[in-house]
Amino acid sequence: MTYNNAMAKKGLDVPAEITGLCRAIRDAGHEAYLIGGCVRDLLLDREPKDWDITTNATPEQIQSLFEETFYENKFGTVGVVTKSENPRLKVVEITPYRVEGKYSNARHPDEVTFSTNLSDDLKRRDFTVNAIAYDPIEKELVDEHGGQDDLRRRVIAAVGDADERFQEDALRTLRAIRFSAELDFALDAKTAAAIAKDADRLGKISKERIRDEFVRILESDRPMQAMYVAQKLGILKYVIPQLEEAIGVEQNQAHSYDVFEHLLRSLQHAADKKWPLEVRLAALLHDIGKPASRRWSDEKKDWTFHGHEVIGARMAEKILHDLRMPNETIKTVVALIRWHMFFSDPDKVTLSAVRRIITNVGVEHINDLLNLRICDRIGTGRPKEQPFRLRKYMSMVDEAMRDPVTVSMLKIDGKKVMDLGEKPGPRIGWTLHALLEEVLDDPSRNTEEYLERRAGELLKVSEEELKALGEQGKDRREKEDEAEVQKLRDKHHVN
Ligand code: ATP
Ligand code: MG
């Protein structure tokens, strides 16, 4: 893994486009090095995500060398558009050497200062493994902070004094955990101690920056370990404080772990299966409502958590909103959590109940919901991943999907409703949803004849009534949720 003589002769495996860019910069009399993640990944035999070049040329000099460039940020980075087919090479970022600016708020440097000296630029980088430069023309590495040693030791260590570096930019504390999760590296002891010392400074960092690193942790192969470490070092409370409430919350007999460990194990299973971000987030948060809804049952002689999925869905919505997650992601994760307790006994459940679950989470996420159930089961510490009953339920889902579960699956559409005399406007949607409710109850109603007759009758229904019919599914769910929350409040003697 360390760059040795044999590798030096052959050089690292750099695409011709990148070497070409470096050559052009050098031919104009400047220096050009690959830097950061791409050098680290090449040395680890991993495929680099993107290619970054650093140089002593100014942004203006860089721009003058290439046909198509853009320069629109305050860090001096110039994007060079190449003619490459490879999406990772289409735009290559070239950044002048920089020195660490003065940070007055642990957030952003107050100013960006360029330098003519590569060493300055290496010094301002976060971790030793990210501070190795490589010249693809001379096939030479510049490693002034022991980056290769740390690659060999598989350790994330700050460049220079860890405490100072985290005080400059507290996001680095979370980045350290992110890189250790992605690369399966340990945290260097001094670096870990400095993270614990400076964790509170993360409170000043923008949620958007925290979100980006947190998402990378979740998308790594080892999110469980990373979340444990984040908690131990005092960082978790600046990412999802509500998760700390789950620590030590004992569960019922069916579980081997407390709520916190159960959630992390569920998340890890989603990662082991390479399931998408939404499933990972839902796995991590699906029982977040348990601490607030836990009650002791004298009758059962055990803990109960009635309504935790309703409370949990609401909490998750706030958590994800606070983290500035995209609305589409929030919507999906909240629905998965809201419905994760779906009744799945294939011997007792009706097809119409299965159809309603599909309507509730959406056709495109029913698989995610089943996968979430698998994560949940594995997270309890029970060995069987996909018991016979869940497989049987899956085949019921397939069967249920043959009947309409969405408006677009009805044998009538908005155009037809208009042909029958309805004027354009919200009444069309309400009519279709009212018809879907009827068909969910009884799929044999999904015929042109029945639906056109009913649509004709609905033409005469008042605006108010039609809206109520169209939104009855939504209203019913909201009423049920409100009732659950109220029950919990009553039990809790709060209002
Ligand atoms: P990947 O592309 O796999 O995410 P990366 O190492 O390229 O990994 P980036 O976040 O793209 O990570 O950052 C590029 C490089 O810029 C890093 O390798 C590091 O040298 C430097 N860097 C990024 N953010 C910081 C920071 N907050 N403080 C110091 N250096 C940083
Ligand atoms: Mg990068």
Side-chain angles (χ1 to χ4, degrees), residues 35-38 40-41 48-50 52 100 103 121 124-127 129-131 165 169 171-172 175 178-179 182 209 213 216:
I35 183 68
C38 61
R40 175 198 70 217
D41 289 345
K49 279 197 194 53
D50 39 42
D52 296 315
E100 187 62 283
Y103 288 73
D121 189 83
R124 64 131 183 133
R125 298 206 170 249
D126 47 10
F127 305 109
V129 296
N130 289 344
R165 306 314 308 284
D169 178 6
L171 187 72
R172 292 172 186 155
R175 282 174 64 84
R178 186 259 274 194
F179 286 116
E182 285 186 331
R209 293 182 81 206
E213 298 299 328
R216 296 286 296 256

Side-chain angles (χ1 to χ4, degrees), residues 17-32 53 55 57 61-62 64-66 80 94 137:
E17 288 91 335
I18 301 292
T19 312
L21 292 180
C22 289
R23 194 177 306 267
I25 301 171
R26 280 178 61 117
D27 286 351
H30 313 291
E31 298 170 11
I53 295 174
T55 175
Q61 288 171 328
I62 302 167
S64 73
L65 289 174
F66 303 100
V80 176
I94 304 181
I137 315 286

Side-chain angles (χ1 to χ4, degrees), residues 101-358:
K102 225 170 81 244
Y103 288 73
S104 51
N105 57 1
R107 220 196 270 226
H108 274 305
D110 298 334
E111 69 220 18
V112 171
T113 317
F114 299 140
S115 162
T116 51
N117 185 347
L118 174 64
S119 296
D120 284 339
D121 189 83
L122 298 179
K123 256 186 269 170
R124 64 131 183 133
R125 298 206 170 249
D126 47 10
F127 305 109
T128 61
V129 296
N130 289 344
I132 310 172
Y134 179 66
D135 173 348
I137 315 286
E138 302 295 333
K139 301 187 179 26
E140 245 170 39
L141 284 169
V142 183
D143 179 12
E144 297 178 350
H145 300 281
Q148 290 174 94
D149 283 345
D150 287 343
L151 284 177
R152 198 177 327 105
R153 290 163 57 213
R154 303 178 71 80
V155 155
I156 299 296
V159 169
D161 184 82
D163 183 28
E164 243 170 61
R165 306 314 308 284
F166 295 146
Q167 303 228 11
E168 284 163 359
D169 178 6
L171 187 72
R172 292 172 186 155
T173 58
L174 187 57
R175 282 174 64 84
I177 293 172
R178 186 259 274 194
F179 286 116
S180 103
E182 285 186 331
L183 303 171
D184 195 13
F185 277 26
L187 293 175
D188 164 77
K190 272 195 197 137
T191 297
I195 293 176
K197 175 172 176 289
D198 298 322
D200 289 343
R201 291 181 166 256
L202 255 188
K204 289 195 197 151
I205 298 293
S206 82
K207 294 288 183 206
E208 287 79 0
R209 293 182 81 206
I210 290 181
R211 173 203 58 208
D212 288 348
E213 298 299 328
F214 173 58
V215 165
R216 296 286 296 256
I217 290 173
L218 293 184
E219 287 180 332
S220 77
D221 289 343
R222 279 161 290 272
M224 174 164 81
Q225 170 73 11
M227 296 293 287
Y228 264 121
V229 173
Q231 198 279 322
K232 286 267 177 291
L233 296 179
I235 280 184
L236 182 62
K237 55 176 170 291
Y238 299 104
V239 184
I240 303 185
Q242 296 86 340
L243 270 173
E244 299 237 319
E245 292 160 23
I247 296 170
V249 175
E250 196 190 315
Q251 308 219 53
N252 64 27
Q253 301 283 330
H255 285 260
S256 319
Y257 309 114
D258 69 8
V259 174
F260 185 62
E261 181 160 1
H262 168 61
L263 290 174
L264 294 195
R265 284 175 180 268
S266 302
L267 162 65
Q268 186 56 48
H269 189 67
D272 291 345
K273 289 290 180 183
K274 309 244 177 276
W275 284 332
L277 180 65
E278 286 82 356
V279 177
R280 297 182 194 211
L281 279 166
L284 176 65
L285 298 175
H286 73 278
D287 282 346
I288 197 73
K290 274 190 169 178
S293 57
R294 189 172 77 142
R295 303 285 178 271
W296 178 259
S297 160
D298 281 332
E299 193 187 317
K300 291 186 179 155
K301 305 250 178 308
D302 207 346
W303 294 107
T304 63
F305 301 91
H306 294 302
H308 76 272
E309 70 276 30
V310 176
I311 303 271
R314 291 190 180 184
M315 287 176 71
E317 183 159 25
K318 177 173 186 322
I319 290 168
L320 299 173
H321 188 264
D322 287 350
L323 273 172
R324 313 286 191 273
M325 289 286 179
N327 286 337
E328 202 46 43
T329 309
I330 298 179
K331 205 175 129 217
T332 304
V333 175
V334 167
L336 290 173
I337 295 175
R338 174 62 186 84
W339 302 107
H340 84 270
M341 295 297 287
F342 70 99
F343 181 66
S344 64
D345 182 341
D347 299 325
K348 295 197 186 121
V349 74
T350 62
L351 271 179
S352 108
V354 176
R355 274 196 300 276
R356 287 207 185 267
I357 281 292
I358 301 171

